[in-house]
Every structure is written in C-alpha cells, then in structure tokens.
Amino acid sequence: MEAIRKQASRLREQVARQQQAVLRQFGAYGDTDVIMNNDAELRQHKKLEKLYISTRAAKHFQRDIVRGIEGCIVIGSKQIEIGTKMSEDSRKYGVQNTCTSGNTLSKAASNFARARAQMEKERGDLLKALGTQVTEPLRAMVMGAPLDDARHLAQRYDRMRQDAEAQAFEVARRQAKVREGNDHPDLASKLEAAEAKLQDLKSNVAVLGKEAASALAAVEDQQQRLTLQRLTAMVEAERAYHQRVLQILDQLEGEMISECQRIEAAPSPRVDNTSAPPSYEDANGVSTSPAQNGSTDNMGYFLGEVMYSYQAESDVELNLSIGDYIVVRKVSNNGWAEGECKGKAGWFPFGYIERRERVLASKVAEVF
C-alpha cells in the first residue's frame, strides 16, 4: 500500500511538471499564484510526508516490541511451569528421602526447592510487569484513535491537494482559451467559477495541511516519549529481576558451600594411640588368625558403613575407605572393633563407622 502511495506521489509530481510546461507554452509564465505547487505548499507537503513516515515507523516499532514481549511471556510461562515442577520434586525428596548415610543431600534439596520457588515467583512478577507496564500502553497507542485520526487527516489533505492540482490545471486551461481571443461569454463566467473553486481548494488545503501536520507532530512526540519510557521501564524491571535472582542464588550457593565445608572440615574420630587393638588370642581366647576365627553364629553381627578413611598400621588391622560396608563381629572396650570387609578380616577404630539397619543388596555383596 505504501509503495502504491509513493508511486502515485511521483506520478502527481510528473503531471505537475507537465502542466507547468503546457502553461508556459500557452504564455502563463511565472503565474505561481495559479499553479498549485508553490514553495509554501511544497514545504507543507514535504513536512507532512516526513511526519507520516516517522509516525508509521514508530507504530511498527511499538508493534514489534509488543509482539516480542508477548513471545517472552509465552516462553517464560513455560519456563515457570518447568521450574516449579523441579522445585516440587526437590522439596519432595528433601522431605521423603530414605538415605541411610545422613541428611546432607535432603537439606540441600530442600534449600534448592525453596530457592527455585522464589526464583520462579520473581520470574512471574517480571512477566506481569512487562505485560502491564510495557505491552498494554504500547498496544493501546498502536490501536488508539489519535494516530488513526492524524493519519486520516493527512490522507484527506493528500486527496484535497490532488483536487486542487487538477483544478489549477483546469483554471490554466480556461485562461489559455480566454487569451486566445475567444470572447464567448460562457468562457469568462466559467473561468471565474473555476478560479473561485481553486481559491477555496487552496485555502482548504492550507488549513487542512496545518491541522494534519499539527496532529501528526503531536502523535510523533507522544510516540517518542511513550516508547522511550516503556523501554526504560522494561530495562528497569529486568534489572530488578536479575538482581533479586542473584541474591537468591548467592544465598543458596552460600548454604551449599557452607555445608560442603562443614563436611570436609569434620574431624575424624579420635583413636587412643596408646591403646593398640586387642590381639585375637585375647579377644577370642584362641590362637587363630582373623580369617580362621569367624563364628557361624551371627546373631550379634551387624553392618556398618565407613564414614572416615583409616590406614592400617599393622597386619591385624583393616584399611577403611569411605563408603565401604563392614560386617562387625566384635566390639572391644578400648574403642576397637573386629569385622570383615571385602573378604578380609581385622581390627579397626569403631568410631570410624556408623551402624546401618538397611543396606542395598549390592552393597552387602561387596562386603564378602
């Protein structure tokens, strides 16, 4: 539509130039009052064209912003849905976990669930702000009456200007006939009527041009101010959102790092170095090796999980690795225990393990 309008404008200018050439041929030299395309009118016309193009470009830009934010809201809503599901799953694990080696992960899961829920709430608030503070005002202006009214005025001016140009040509044609010496009375009266109509059209064009220019200038100013304000509001809303999310993440990271440091810095159980593990002869009353001294009666046996590493210092001691499981067979009064792990039997510090009532079958198989 705009291409057709530009083409029509170029054609009108060509016709106007041809009209001037015809008028010069018939002797109407320098009669700028009759010809419509005088300097003042041309300046008015060029001003309206620039305003029309500017307001149209601003309208398209506002519409692009609205469409972009609407797309962000659709995608953001889906992200909120996914993030909320992740938060709920983490919360459930933190509350319902059945881990036998402590509650460190369940605490982390609960903290993560809380932080994720807060972040998704912040995201939801951001999307609402973008919708109410940016999209709605811009959409109202794109679809509002001031812009349409101003554009309609400009279009009416354009049509009236074409009529005035056609009437100017008609006046010039009748003037040429009168100058040819044709004294027919109807020619003079028709020329007067044509000139009167041309003056009315020129006056109306001038008035309507000023009105259209004023209306388009007001719309242009409003477009510029409102669009800049809404862009600023969008940036401020997103900046505030990211700042709040960063605070939530910093808090969550601090909690997790603190927990990791607490675990890593936990002191190993003290073992009385002055007290050596009891000999198998003392513990069992027989002179046999640990592997030969096992009893088939396991009513007093239990499983323990290694919580701290231990390096054996003699042949009768066991090496311990974190996460291993041990069948504990005896516990002495001096803090040592005897058991079997991975096919080997020996003594180890009892404080390095924790008793377990439930263990996966695969873990039990690793003991033997």
Side-chain angles (χ1 to χ4, degrees):
M1 187 66 183
E2 186 60 27
I4 295 174
R5 181 178 174 276
K6 289 182 178 179
Q7 185 177 6
S9 180
R10 287 195 296 268
L11 289 174
R12 287 196 302 273
E13 291 177 359
Q14 292 175 3
V15 170
R17 287 193 295 269
Q18 292 172 358
Q19 289 174 350
Q20 293 177 12
V22 171
L23 291 173
R24 284 193 296 269
Q25 182 179 358
F26 285 98
Y29 295 102
D31 192 1
T32 56
D33 186 53
V34 175
I35 300 173
M36 189 61 199
N37 289 325
N38 57 66
D39 291 341
E41 196 280 330
L42 280 175
R43 286 195 298 270
Q44 182 71 46
H45 179 65
K46 294 297 183 182
K47 180 180 180 181
L48 274 171
E49 278 192 333
K50 291 180 180 179
L51 285 169
Y52 192 91
I53 292 172
S54 174
T55 54
R56 180 193 60 196
K59 174 183 178 180
H60 290 173
F61 180 48
Q62 290 173 332
R63 187 169 57 194
D64 291 341
I65 294 174
V66 170
R67 289 174 176 174
I69 293 179
E70 287 174 344
C72 290
I73 291 175
V74 172
I75 296 174
S77 299
K78 185 63 177 178
Q79 290 175 330
I80 291 175
E81 180 181 342
I82 296 171
T84 302
K85 179 65 167 57
M86 185 186 301
S87 172
E88 183 62 21
D89 291 341
S90 300
R91 187 195 66 78
K92 287 181 179 179
Y93 178 83
V95 173
Q96 303 174 2
N97 81 91
T98 57
C99 181
T100 59
S101 60
N103 61 350
T104 300
L105 180 57
S106 62
K107 286 183 179 179
S110 297
N111 292 338
F112 177 81
R114 184 201 70 247
R116 173 58 62 178
Q118 291 176 346
M119 287 189 290
E120 299 310 330
K121 179 182 180 300
E122 294 295 341
R123 191 196 299 269
D125 293 342
L126 170 64
L127 297 181
K128 290 179 181 177
L130 293 180
T132 57
Q133 298 178 18
V134 182
T135 302
E136 292 179 5
L138 291 180
R139 184 189 291 114
M141 188 164 191
V142 169
M143 305 299 294
L147 177 60
D148 288 340
D149 292 345
R151 290 165 67 88
H152 290 158
L153 277 177
Q155 291 166 358
R156 283 178 55 198
Y157 161 82
D158 198 47
R159 290 192 296 268
M160 188 175 292
R161 185 174 183 272
Q162 295 177 39
D163 294 340
E165 288 177 345
Q167 187 63 24
F169 180 74
E170 177 67 16
V171 168
R173 187 179 65 81
R174 293 185 180 279
Q175 287 175 342
K177 287 187 176 182
V178 170
R179 282 192 295 269
E180 288 176 357
N182 195 338
D183 296 332
H184 195 284
D186 289 343
L187 289 177
S189 61
K190 288 182 179 179
L191 175 58
E192 286 184 20
E195 289 176 340
K197 182 177 180 181
L198 176 59
Q199 290 302 321
D200 289 342
L201 284 172
K202 289 175 65 175
S203 299
N204 292 336
V205 166
V207 173
L208 188 59
K210 291 180 181 178
E211 291 180 359
S214 176
L216 282 175
V219 169
E220 182 189 49
D221 181 67
Q222 186 182 11
Q223 284 178 328
Q224 297 293 311
R225 288 187 293 101
L226 179 65
T227 306
L228 179 58
Q229 290 173 358
R230 295 310 93 200
L231 284 177
T232 303
M234 179 169 61
V235 171
E236 290 176 348
E238 290 187 312
R239 180 174 176 271
Y241 160 73
H242 288 294
Q243 285 181 333
R244 288 192 289 268
V245 168
L246 181 59
Q247 292 174 355
I248 295 170
L249 289 174
D250 284 344
Q251 180 182 355
L252 177 62
E253 183 185 31
E255 293 170 349
M256 289 185 168
I257 290 176
S258 176
E259 184 65 18
C260 291
Q261 291 175 343
R262 185 189 67 78
I263 295 173
E264 293 173 358
S268 300
R270 294 181 56 190
V271 177
D272 188 355
N273 293 329
T274 61
S275 174
S279 66
Y280 283 95
E281 291 82 357
D282 295 336
N284 300 319
V286 293
S287 299
T288 59
S289 65
Q292 295 170 332
N293 195 43
S295 172
T296 57
D297 184 6
N298 62 355
M299 292 300 293
Y301 294 9
F302 63 89
L303 282 173
E305 181 182 358
V306 177
M307 306 305 295
Y308 307 94
S309 298
Y310 177 73
Q311 186 67 35
E313 298 180 0
S314 67
D315 294 339
V316 298
E317 297 179 14
L318 278 178
N319 291 321
L320 302 181
S321 298
I322 295 176
D324 287 346
Y325 283 85
I326 296 179
V327 176
V328 182
R329 299 188 293 207
K330 291 183 176 62
V331 179
S332 67
N333 293 329
N334 64 350
W336 289 82
E338 187 271 330
E340 183 177 351
C341 178
K342 296 182 179 179
K344 295 182 180 181
W347 292 89
F348 55 89
F350 182 63
Y352 278 57
I353 70 167
E354 287 186 4
R355 183 166 183 157
R356 295 287 178 258
E357 301 297 336
R358 294 178 294 174
V359 182
L360 295 175
S362 59
K363 295 295 184 181
V364 176
E366 292 177 358
V367 175
F368 303 99

